[in-house]
């Protein structure tokens, strides 16, 4: 990693800059085989039972946005990190860092949202922490959530079995979370009816895993969007992944917003979607199960895995060309999750 003297917003954006920081400055000092995998959660064994443990922090601005708030986001983000590891989310911790002067009415709304979302996700909040810092030391409220889930079938989703011809599936339309947060910011004059997709996905993913043994790898495409998730997968193989532009599920409103602002939907964050690599002959079954759920009704097969010696994520454009897509280098939209 090129030497840097200080952290920038790019280091938290989920792109190439952030990944290099984690690999070359943070993870290398902690060691450990499980951490080195850089998965969304860690598989651990306790008295013969296999669990998944994960943690995440939430610093979004604004705190409340169309379709959610920082409390809902904190629960969904951690629940989804457990679910894409093949786990059943069970228990959460919630840690607050509160800024002096924060309104208690706002804190009450956020706590109510956390409680509602935890109930919907089927998880129990079992511990927590609260710290208050002086005015100006943080931006109203930061939340950390950690979660533990069980692996009922002893199965993780590491991608070890990925093969030529496997299907790439996304569970719904792309980019709504990033665009909803952007449109809610006071410094953005644009307005739209786009609502964040923020949602807990444990139930939907559990239904897919029960119905099909063909799921080989899963990620929730948050910061860095679909491009970052697929780029991570391609590097881990290496694999070549071919995506069909015409198959990408993007709403007309999101497409128009992206065209206006120059964004590519594959780079935008989602908080209620999952990317699944499925065996080719199981793809229809996975798609059928996804589409029968509320959060997966717009699921689509968007491409496939191709044999390759070099990692690459390619997109077949609607115009007939082929181009590479990469995870964004730095920050597209700061403070979105």
């Amino acid at each position: 990693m090129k030497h840097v003297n200080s952290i920038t917003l790019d280091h938290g954006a989920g792109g190439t800059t952030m990944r290099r920081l984690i690999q070359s400055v943070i993870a290398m000092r902690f060691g450990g085989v499980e951490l080195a995998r850089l998965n969304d959660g860690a598989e651990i064994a306790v008295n013969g039972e296999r669990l998944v443990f994960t943690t995440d922090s939430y610093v979004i601005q604004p705190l409340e946005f169309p379709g959610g708030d920082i409390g809902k986001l904190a629960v969904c983000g951690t629940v989804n990190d457990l679910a894409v590891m093949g786990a059943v989310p069970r228990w959460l911790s919630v840690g607050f860092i509160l800024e002096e002067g924060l309104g208690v009415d706002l804190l009450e709304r956020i706590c109510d949202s956390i409680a509602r979302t935890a109930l919907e996700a089927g998880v129990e909040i079992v511990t927590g922490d609260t710290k208050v810092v002086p005015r100006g030391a943080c931006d109203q409220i930061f939340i950390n959530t950690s979660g533990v889930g069980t692996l009922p079938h002893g199965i993780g989703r590491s991608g070890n079995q990925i093969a030529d011809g496997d299907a790439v599936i996304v569970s719904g339309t792309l980019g709504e979370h990033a665009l909803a947060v952007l449109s809610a910011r006071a410094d953005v004059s644009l307005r739209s009816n786009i609502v964040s997709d923020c949602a807990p996905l444990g139930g939907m993913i559990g239904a897919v895993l029960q119905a099909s043994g063909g799921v080989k790898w899963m990620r929730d495409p948050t910061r860095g969007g679909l491009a970052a998730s697929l780029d991570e997968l391609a590097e881990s193989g290496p694999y070549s992944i071919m995506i069909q532009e015409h198959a990408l599920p993007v709403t007309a409103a999101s497409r128009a917003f992206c065209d206006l602002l120059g964004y590519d939907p594959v780079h935008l964050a989602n908080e209620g979607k999952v990317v699944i690599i499925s065996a080719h002959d199981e793809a229809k079954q996975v798609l059928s199960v996804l589409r029968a759920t509320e959060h997966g009704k717009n699921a689509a097969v968007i491409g496939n895995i191709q044999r390759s010696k070099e990692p690459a994520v390619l997109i077949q454009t609607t115009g007939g060309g082929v181009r590479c897509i990469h995870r964004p280098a730095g920050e597209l939209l700061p403070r979105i999750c």
Side-chain angles (χ1 to χ4, degrees):
M1 179 185 180
K2 182 180 178 181
H3 179 72
V4 294
N5 294 319
S6 60
I7 298 299
T8 69
L9 286 174
D10 285 350
H11 289 108
T16 303
T17 306
M18 179 177 175
R19 189 168 181 86
R20 288 175 178 167
L21 175 73
I22 292 172
Q23 290 176 320
S24 63
V25 177
I26 299 174
M28 66 174 292
R29 285 172 165 79
F30 299 156
V33 174
E34 191 61 34
L35 180 62
R37 295 189 175 102
L38 298 181
N39 285 330
D40 285 348
E43 285 189 41
I44 53 178
V46 180
N47 295 328
E49 184 176 11
R50 296 175 70 197
L51 305 174
V52 175
F53 177 49
T54 190
T55 189
D56 210 337
S57 299
Y58 300 87
V59 295
I60 193 168
Q61 186 56 243
L63 298 173
E64 297 171 296
F65 50 86
D69 55 70
I70 190 172
K72 180 179 181 180
L73 183 68
V75 174
C76 293
T78 296
V79 163
N80 294 345
D81 281 348
L82 292 171
V84 297
M85 290 292 293
V88 177
R90 299 291 192 190
W91 304 282
L92 294 186
S93 71
V94 179
F96 294 103
I97 296 178
L98 309 177
E99 183 183 13
E100 178 188 21
L102 176 72
V104 173
D105 56 343
L106 175 57
L107 180 59
E108 288 176 335
R109 292 200 301 274
I110 291 170
C111 288
D112 287 341
S113 179
I114 289 173
R116 284 194 303 272
T117 310
L119 182 64
E120 178 185 355
V123 294
E124 181 181 4
I125 297 170
V126 292
T127 189
D129 180 59
T130 302
K131 296 290 189 296
V132 178
V133 297
R135 195 182 301 270
C138 80
D139 193 354
Q140 294 186 277
I141 180 171
F142 296 157
I143 298 177
N144 174 274
T145 47
S146 298
V148 175
T150 55
L151 281 168
H153 306 297
I155 300 173
R157 302 292 157 185
S158 64
N160 292 335
Q161 305 300 318
I162 290 177
D164 195 39
D166 285 347
V168 181
I169 299 170
V170 65
S171 65
T173 50
L174 300 171
E176 281 104 334
H177 176 69
L179 296 176
V181 173
L182 177 63
S183 67
R185 289 186 175 168
D187 57 347
V188 175
S189 58
L190 295 169
R191 290 292 180 267
S192 75
N193 59 358
I194 297 174
V195 175
S196 170
D197 62 340
C198 185
L201 302 179
M204 181 183 76
I205 291 174
V208 170
L209 296 181
Q210 281 191 330
S212 173
V215 175
K216 300 183 177 182
W217 184 89
M218 295 182 288
R219 281 291 184 279
D220 50 338
T222 54
R223 286 172 301 176
L226 177 69
S229 294
L230 294 182
D231 193 62
E232 174 190 342
L233 173 62
E235 288 182 355
S236 71
Y239 304 108
S240 177
I241 304 169
M242 177 63 79
I243 300 302
Q244 303 298 321
E245 186 176 31
H246 70 83
L248 292 175
V250 181
T251 67
S254 293
R255 180 70 69 185
F257 214 137
C258 287
D259 288 346
L260 186 62
L261 298 176
Y263 291 130
D264 189 332
V266 301
H267 289 142
L268 296 179
N270 313 274
E271 291 293 342
K273 300 298 184 310
V274 59
V275 181
I276 296 174
I277 304 301
S278 164
H280 173 76
D281 57 2
E282 287 284 323
K284 287 186 178 179
Q285 174 69 2
V286 171
L287 202 60
S288 174
V289 176
L290 286 172
R291 286 178 173 174
T293 68
E294 177 186 356
H295 299 307
K297 58 188 176 185
N298 294 311
V301 176
I302 60 172
N304 56 56
I305 304 292
Q306 298 184 347
R307 194 179 305 279
S308 175
K309 294 181 179 179
E310 299 292 335
V313 183
L314 307 171
I315 185 165
Q316 179 87 51
T317 69
T318 53
V322 175
R323 63 180 173 88
C324 291
I325 58 174
H326 303 281
R327 72 180 70 198
E331 189 69 80
L332 291 178
L333 301 172
R335 303 281 305 277
I336 60 171
C337 57

